[in-house]
Short mmCIF file of all heavy atoms in Angstrom, two decimals:
data_model
loop_
_atom_site.label_atom_id
_atom_site.label_comp_id
_atom_site.label_asym_id
_atom_site.label_seq_id
_atom_site.Cartn_x
_atom_site.Cartn_y
_atom_site.Cartn_z
N HIS G 98 -9.79 -22.12 -27.58
CA HIS G 98 -10.85 -21.13 -27.35
C HIS G 98 -11.98 -21.19 -28.52
O HIS G 98 -13.15 -21.02 -28.21
CB HIS G 98 -10.38 -19.72 -27.34
CG HIS G 98 -9.69 -19.36 -26.08
ND1 HIS G 98 -8.32 -19.60 -25.80
CD2 HIS G 98 -10.12 -18.93 -24.88
CE1 HIS G 98 -8.00 -19.34 -24.62
NE2 HIS G 98 -9.03 -18.89 -23.93
N PHE G 102 -14.53 -22.25 -26.01
CA PHE G 102 -14.75 -21.11 -25.05
C PHE G 102 -16.21 -20.73 -25.28
O PHE G 102 -16.51 -19.71 -25.96
CB PHE G 102 -13.77 -20.01 -25.47
CG PHE G 102 -13.62 -19.00 -24.37
CD1 PHE G 102 -13.39 -19.42 -23.07
CD2 PHE G 102 -13.83 -17.74 -24.66
CE1 PHE G 102 -13.24 -18.44 -22.00
CE2 PHE G 102 -13.72 -16.67 -23.79
CZ PHE G 102 -13.43 -17.07 -22.42
N PRO G 249 -9.68 -13.25 -25.86
CA PRO G 249 -10.41 -13.36 -24.58
C PRO G 249 -9.48 -13.44 -23.43
O PRO G 249 -9.91 -13.46 -22.33
CB PRO G 249 -11.17 -14.74 -24.74
CG PRO G 249 -10.28 -15.53 -25.66
CD PRO G 249 -9.51 -14.41 -26.55
N GLU G 250 -8.11 -13.50 -23.64
CA GLU G 250 -7.14 -13.36 -22.63
C GLU G 250 -5.86 -12.86 -23.25
O GLU G 250 -5.56 -13.05 -24.48
CB GLU G 250 -6.94 -14.76 -21.93
CG GLU G 250 -6.46 -15.82 -22.95
CD GLU G 250 -6.11 -17.14 -22.31
OE1 GLU G 250 -6.65 -17.42 -21.17
OE2 GLU G 250 -5.33 -17.88 -22.95
N THR G 251 -4.99 -12.36 -22.42
CA THR G 251 -3.71 -11.80 -22.95
C THR G 251 -2.64 -12.90 -23.08
O THR G 251 -1.65 -12.77 -23.77
CB THR G 251 -3.19 -10.65 -22.06
OG1 THR G 251 -3.11 -11.12 -20.77
CG2 THR G 251 -4.03 -9.50 -22.15
N ALA G 252 -2.99 -14.05 -22.39
CA ALA G 252 -1.88 -15.05 -22.29
C ALA G 252 -1.48 -15.64 -23.63
O ALA G 252 -0.21 -15.91 -23.79
CB ALA G 252 -2.57 -16.29 -21.42
N GLN G 253 -2.37 -15.84 -24.55
CA GLN G 253 -1.87 -16.53 -25.86
C GLN G 253 -0.93 -15.66 -26.65
O GLN G 253 -0.10 -16.31 -27.32
CB GLN G 253 -3.19 -16.82 -26.65
CG GLN G 253 -4.23 -17.90 -26.01
CD GLN G 253 -3.50 -19.13 -25.59
OE1 GLN G 253 -2.66 -19.68 -26.20
NE2 GLN G 253 -3.87 -19.69 -24.42
N PHE G 256 2.33 -16.81 -25.26
CA PHE G 256 2.82 -18.21 -25.97
C PHE G 256 3.29 -18.11 -27.33
O PHE G 256 4.20 -18.72 -27.69
CB PHE G 256 1.67 -19.27 -25.69
CG PHE G 256 1.28 -19.55 -24.37
CD1 PHE G 256 0.02 -19.35 -23.80
CD2 PHE G 256 2.34 -20.01 -23.42
CE1 PHE G 256 -0.24 -19.66 -22.49
CE2 PHE G 256 2.10 -20.27 -22.10
CZ PHE G 256 0.67 -20.07 -21.52
N SER G 280 -8.82 -7.51 -22.62
CA SER G 280 -9.34 -8.71 -23.06
C SER G 280 -10.90 -8.55 -23.21
O SER G 280 -11.35 -7.64 -22.60
CB SER G 280 -9.06 -9.88 -22.10
OG SER G 280 -7.70 -10.16 -22.06
N ARG G 282 -14.83 -10.52 -23.57
CA ARG G 282 -15.54 -11.82 -23.51
C ARG G 282 -16.94 -11.33 -23.48
O ARG G 282 -17.43 -10.51 -22.71
CB ARG G 282 -15.37 -12.54 -22.15
CG ARG G 282 -13.93 -13.07 -22.10
CD ARG G 282 -13.64 -13.87 -20.81
NE ARG G 282 -12.26 -14.11 -20.67
CZ ARG G 282 -11.73 -14.78 -19.71
NH1 ARG G 282 -12.30 -15.26 -18.71
NH2 ARG G 282 -10.35 -14.93 -19.62
N GLU G 284 -19.73 -11.92 -22.30
CA GLU G 284 -20.24 -12.58 -21.04
C GLU G 284 -21.87 -12.65 -21.23
O GLU G 284 -22.36 -11.65 -21.58
CB GLU G 284 -19.96 -11.90 -19.77
CG GLU G 284 -18.42 -11.89 -19.43
CD GLU G 284 -17.91 -13.14 -18.88
OE1 GLU G 284 -18.60 -14.12 -18.74
OE2 GLU G 284 -16.73 -13.17 -18.51
N PRO G 287 -23.25 -10.22 -17.79
CA PRO G 287 -22.39 -9.24 -17.15
C PRO G 287 -23.05 -8.71 -15.85
O PRO G 287 -24.18 -8.39 -15.98
CB PRO G 287 -22.08 -8.09 -18.07
CG PRO G 287 -23.25 -8.28 -19.10
CD PRO G 287 -23.75 -9.69 -19.03
N THR G 291 -18.27 -3.75 -12.06
CA THR G 291 -17.27 -4.01 -13.04
C THR G 291 -16.69 -5.45 -12.93
O THR G 291 -15.80 -5.96 -13.56
CB THR G 291 -16.11 -3.13 -12.90
OG1 THR G 291 -15.63 -3.25 -11.58
CG2 THR G 291 -16.37 -1.70 -13.11
N PHE G 292 -17.32 -6.17 -11.98
CA PHE G 292 -16.71 -7.54 -11.63
C PHE G 292 -16.75 -8.48 -12.83
O PHE G 292 -15.76 -9.19 -13.18
CB PHE G 292 -17.59 -8.25 -10.45
CG PHE G 292 -17.00 -9.57 -10.03
CD1 PHE G 292 -15.89 -9.70 -9.25
CD2 PHE G 292 -17.52 -10.84 -10.63
CE1 PHE G 292 -15.42 -10.94 -8.87
CE2 PHE G 292 -17.00 -12.00 -10.23
CZ PHE G 292 -16.03 -12.06 -9.41
N ARG G 293 -17.92 -8.59 -13.48
CA ARG G 293 -17.90 -9.34 -14.71
C ARG G 293 -18.29 -8.43 -15.87
O ARG G 293 -19.42 -8.16 -16.10
CB ARG G 293 -18.94 -10.62 -14.50
CG ARG G 293 -18.94 -11.50 -15.73
CD ARG G 293 -19.79 -12.68 -15.44
NE ARG G 293 -19.70 -13.39 -14.24
CZ ARG G 293 -18.71 -14.21 -13.86
NH1 ARG G 293 -17.78 -14.32 -14.83
NH2 ARG G 293 -18.53 -14.73 -12.73
N SER G 294 -17.32 -7.97 -16.60
CA SER G 294 -17.56 -7.10 -17.66
C SER G 294 -17.31 -7.80 -19.01
O SER G 294 -16.69 -8.76 -19.04
CB SER G 294 -16.64 -5.88 -17.61
OG SER G 294 -16.64 -5.35 -16.31
N ARG G 295 -17.68 -7.10 -20.14
CA ARG G 295 -17.42 -7.73 -21.43
C ARG G 295 -16.12 -7.27 -21.90
O ARG G 295 -15.48 -7.85 -22.96
CB ARG G 295 -18.56 -7.35 -22.37
CG ARG G 295 -19.82 -8.12 -21.93
CD ARG G 295 -21.04 -7.88 -22.78
NE ARG G 295 -21.97 -8.90 -22.56
CZ ARG G 295 -23.30 -8.64 -22.63
NH1 ARG G 295 -23.86 -7.55 -22.99
NH2 ARG G 295 -24.06 -9.65 -22.47
N GLU G 296 -15.57 -6.05 -21.44
CA GLU G 296 -14.26 -5.52 -21.81
C GLU G 296 -13.54 -5.31 -20.55
O GLU G 296 -14.08 -4.58 -19.71
CB GLU G 296 -14.39 -4.15 -22.62
CG GLU G 296 -13.07 -3.57 -22.87
CD GLU G 296 -13.30 -2.25 -23.81
OE1 GLU G 296 -14.29 -2.16 -24.52
OE2 GLU G 296 -12.25 -1.57 -23.78
N PHE G 297 -12.39 -5.90 -20.37
CA PHE G 297 -11.67 -5.77 -19.01
C PHE G 297 -10.21 -5.90 -19.29
O PHE G 297 -9.79 -6.25 -20.45
CB PHE G 297 -12.22 -6.83 -18.07
CG PHE G 297 -12.16 -8.21 -18.49
CD1 PHE G 297 -10.99 -9.06 -18.17
CD2 PHE G 297 -13.04 -8.70 -19.33
CE1 PHE G 297 -10.85 -10.29 -18.66
CE2 PHE G 297 -12.91 -10.01 -19.86
CZ PHE G 297 -11.91 -10.78 -19.45
N GLU G 298 -9.43 -5.61 -18.28
CA GLU G 298 -7.89 -5.56 -18.48
C GLU G 298 -7.34 -6.69 -17.66
O GLU G 298 -7.77 -6.84 -16.43
CB GLU G 298 -7.28 -4.21 -18.11
CG GLU G 298 -5.94 -4.05 -18.72
CD GLU G 298 -5.50 -2.55 -18.78
OE1 GLU G 298 -6.48 -1.67 -18.84
OE2 GLU G 298 -4.41 -2.31 -18.62
N GLN G 299 -6.43 -7.40 -18.13
CA GLN G 299 -5.76 -8.51 -17.43
C GLN G 299 -4.18 -8.12 -17.22
O GLN G 299 -3.66 -7.27 -17.98
CB GLN G 299 -5.83 -9.83 -18.16
CG GLN G 299 -7.12 -10.26 -18.28
CD GLN G 299 -7.26 -11.75 -18.92
OE1 GLN G 299 -6.68 -11.82 -20.01
NE2 GLN G 299 -7.78 -12.73 -18.23
N MET G 300 -3.57 -8.80 -16.24
CA MET G 300 -2.20 -8.64 -15.86
C MET G 300 -1.71 -10.04 -15.77
O MET G 300 -2.03 -10.75 -14.76
CB MET G 300 -2.01 -7.93 -14.51
CG MET G 300 -2.68 -6.55 -14.58
SD MET G 300 -2.43 -5.61 -13.05
CE MET G 300 -3.22 -6.50 -11.78
N GLU G 301 -0.98 -10.59 -16.84
CA GLU G 301 -0.72 -12.00 -16.81
C GLU G 301 0.77 -12.25 -16.90
O GLU G 301 1.49 -11.55 -17.57
CB GLU G 301 -1.36 -12.68 -17.97
CG GLU G 301 -2.91 -12.63 -17.87
CD GLU G 301 -3.61 -13.68 -18.68
OE1 GLU G 301 -3.51 -13.51 -19.92
OE2 GLU G 301 -4.08 -14.60 -18.07
N GLU G 303 3.38 -15.56 -17.67
CA GLU G 303 3.58 -17.01 -18.09
C GLU G 303 5.06 -17.24 -17.70
O GLU G 303 5.94 -16.57 -18.24
CB GLU G 303 3.40 -17.20 -19.56
CG GLU G 303 2.02 -16.87 -20.12
CD GLU G 303 0.88 -17.47 -19.37
OE1 GLU G 303 0.91 -18.64 -18.91
OE2 GLU G 303 -0.28 -16.87 -19.37
N ASP G 355 -6.94 -20.01 -6.52
CA ASP G 355 -7.41 -18.80 -6.79
C ASP G 355 -7.16 -17.86 -5.59
O ASP G 355 -7.35 -18.33 -4.37
CB ASP G 355 -8.97 -18.88 -7.03
CG ASP G 355 -9.27 -19.44 -8.32
OD1 ASP G 355 -8.30 -19.61 -9.20
OD2 ASP G 355 -10.43 -19.90 -8.54
N ILE G 356 -6.96 -16.58 -5.85
CA ILE G 356 -6.78 -15.62 -4.91
C ILE G 356 -8.28 -14.87 -4.86
O ILE G 356 -8.57 -14.36 -5.94
CB ILE G 356 -5.64 -14.64 -5.03
CG1 ILE G 356 -4.44 -15.43 -4.86
CG2 ILE G 356 -5.73 -13.48 -3.95
CD1 ILE G 356 -3.12 -14.60 -5.35
N GLU G 369 -13.32 -14.38 -7.51
CA GLU G 369 -11.93 -14.62 -7.81
C GLU G 369 -11.30 -13.19 -8.31
O GLU G 369 -11.85 -12.45 -9.12
CB GLU G 369 -11.82 -15.54 -9.06
CG GLU G 369 -10.51 -15.77 -9.67
CD GLU G 369 -10.51 -16.61 -10.95
OE1 GLU G 369 -11.39 -17.51 -10.99
OE2 GLU G 369 -9.58 -16.45 -11.71
N LEU G 370 -10.08 -12.96 -7.77
CA LEU G 370 -9.30 -11.78 -8.19
C LEU G 370 -8.16 -12.25 -9.18
O LEU G 370 -7.83 -11.54 -10.18
CB LEU G 370 -8.52 -11.26 -7.06
CG LEU G 370 -9.10 -10.10 -6.26
CD1 LEU G 370 -7.99 -9.55 -5.30
CD2 LEU G 370 -9.50 -8.95 -7.02
N GLU G 371 -7.55 -13.44 -8.95
CA GLU G 371 -6.42 -13.83 -9.67
C GLU G 371 -6.33 -15.38 -9.59
O GLU G 371 -6.70 -15.87 -8.57
CB GLU G 371 -5.22 -13.28 -9.15
CG GLU G 371 -3.96 -13.91 -9.77
CD GLU G 371 -2.65 -13.17 -9.48
OE1 GLU G 371 -2.80 -11.90 -8.98
OE2 GLU G 371 -1.57 -13.50 -9.77
N GLY G 372 -6.13 -16.02 -10.74
CA GLY G 372 -5.87 -17.47 -10.63
C GLY G 372 -4.32 -17.74 -10.83
O GLY G 372 -3.71 -17.05 -11.64
N ALA G 374 -2.19 -20.88 -11.91
CA ALA G 374 -2.43 -22.15 -12.51
C ALA G 374 -1.08 -22.82 -13.05
O ALA G 374 -0.23 -22.15 -13.62
CB ALA G 374 -3.32 -22.18 -13.60
N ARG G 376 0.01 -25.04 -15.57
CA ARG G 376 -0.66 -25.48 -16.90
C ARG G 376 0.17 -26.61 -17.56
O ARG G 376 -0.06 -26.83 -18.80
CB ARG G 376 -0.79 -24.28 -17.80
CG ARG G 376 -1.71 -23.28 -17.22
CD ARG G 376 -1.87 -22.09 -18.18
NE ARG G 376 -2.56 -22.44 -19.50
CZ ARG G 376 -3.76 -22.48 -19.70
NH1 ARG G 376 -4.64 -22.18 -18.74
NH2 ARG G 376 -4.27 -22.90 -20.78
N GLU G 419 1.16 -19.97 -14.44
CA GLU G 419 0.48 -18.78 -14.93
C GLU G 419 -0.31 -18.04 -13.77
O GLU G 419 -1.38 -18.37 -13.35
CB GLU G 419 -0.61 -19.21 -16.00
CG GLU G 419 -1.35 -18.06 -16.49
CD GLU G 419 -2.54 -18.39 -17.42
OE1 GLU G 419 -3.50 -19.00 -16.91
OE2 GLU G 419 -2.49 -18.26 -18.56
N SER G 421 -2.45 -15.16 -13.24
CA SER G 421 -3.27 -14.27 -14.17
C SER G 421 -4.29 -13.47 -13.34
O SER G 421 -5.19 -14.03 -12.72
CB SER G 421 -4.08 -15.33 -15.12
OG SER G 421 -5.10 -14.55 -15.81
N ALA G 422 -4.09 -12.18 -13.43
CA ALA G 422 -4.97 -11.29 -12.51
C ALA G 422 -5.83 -10.37 -13.30
O ALA G 422 -5.46 -10.10 -14.44
CB ALA G 422 -4.07 -10.54 -11.64
N GLY G 423 -6.96 -10.03 -12.66
CA GLY G 423 -7.88 -9.14 -13.40
C GLY G 423 -7.62 -7.65 -12.85
O GLY G 423 -7.76 -7.40 -11.58
N LEU G 424 -7.20 -6.66 -13.70
CA LEU G 424 -6.92 -5.33 -13.21
C LEU G 424 -8.28 -4.69 -12.75
O LEU G 424 -8.21 -4.08 -11.71
CB LEU G 424 -6.29 -4.62 -14.32
CG LEU G 424 -5.93 -3.11 -14.05
CD1 LEU G 424 -5.09 -2.96 -12.76
CD2 LEU G 424 -5.20 -2.46 -15.12
N ASP G 425 -9.34 -4.83 -13.63
CA ASP G 425 -10.47 -4.12 -13.13
C ASP G 425 -11.04 -4.72 -11.78
O ASP G 425 -11.62 -4.13 -11.00
CB ASP G 425 -11.57 -4.24 -14.21
CG ASP G 425 -10.97 -3.54 -15.51
OD1 ASP G 425 -10.29 -4.29 -16.27
OD2 ASP G 425 -11.22 -2.29 -15.70
N ARG G 426 -10.94 -6.06 -11.67
CA ARG G 426 -11.42 -6.74 -10.51
C ARG G 426 -10.60 -6.24 -9.33
O ARG G 426 -11.08 -6.14 -8.23
CB ARG G 426 -11.33 -8.23 -10.61
CG ARG G 426 -12.61 -8.78 -11.36
CD ARG G 426 -12.81 -10.19 -10.91
NE ARG G 426 -13.74 -10.61 -11.94
CZ ARG G 426 -13.99 -11.85 -12.17
NH1 ARG G 426 -13.21 -12.91 -11.56
NH2 ARG G 426 -14.76 -12.23 -13.19
N GLY G 427 -9.23 -6.13 -9.62
CA GLY G 427 -8.36 -5.54 -8.55
C GLY G 427 -8.76 -4.26 -8.07
O GLY G 427 -8.79 -3.96 -6.98
N1 LIG R 1 -5.18 -16.91 -18.96
C1 LIG R 1 -6.06 -17.38 -17.90
C2 LIG R 1 -7.22 -16.54 -17.74
O1 LIG R 1 -7.61 -15.74 -18.50
P1 LIG R 1 -9.38 -16.49 -16.16
O2 LIG R 1 -9.58 -16.99 -14.80
O3 LIG R 1 -10.35 -16.59 -17.23
O4 LIG R 1 -7.83 -17.00 -16.56
C3 LIG R 1 -8.01 -14.29 -15.29
O5 LIG R 1 -9.16 -15.00 -16.06
C4 LIG R 1 -8.53 -13.14 -14.47
O6 LIG R 1 -9.13 -12.17 -15.28
C5 LIG R 1 -9.69 -13.53 -13.41
O7 LIG R 1 -9.20 -13.92 -12.23
C6 LIG R 1 -10.43 -12.23 -13.31
O8 LIG R 1 -9.71 -11.36 -12.31
C7 LIG R 1 -10.23 -11.58 -14.72
N2 LIG R 1 -11.50 -11.75 -15.40
C8 LIG R 1 -11.91 -12.80 -16.14
N3 LIG R 1 -13.04 -12.52 -16.74
C9 LIG R 1 -13.49 -11.34 -16.40
C10 LIG R 1 -14.57 -10.44 -16.71
N4 LIG R 1 -15.57 -10.94 -17.44
N5 LIG R 1 -14.61 -9.31 -16.16
C11 LIG R 1 -13.65 -8.78 -15.41
N6 LIG R 1 -12.52 -9.50 -15.11
C12 LIG R 1 -12.45 -10.82 -15.53
#
Side-chain angles (χ1 to χ4, degrees):
H98 287 89
F102 199 54
E250 59 173 25
T251 55
Q253 296 304 322
F256 292 123
S280 292
R282 296 183 190 176
E284 298 282 1
T291 59
F292 182 82
R293 189 175 305 289
S294 309
R295 290 180 166 149
E296 173 175 341
F297 57 95
E298 200 164 331
Q299 291 184 306
M300 309 184 290
E301 295 200 291
E303 305 301 332
D355 287 343
I356 297 172
E369 179 185 330
L370 264 190
E371 171 162 354
R376 296 180 62 86
E419 177 189 70
S421 169
L424 176 55
D425 303 87
R426 278 207 195 158

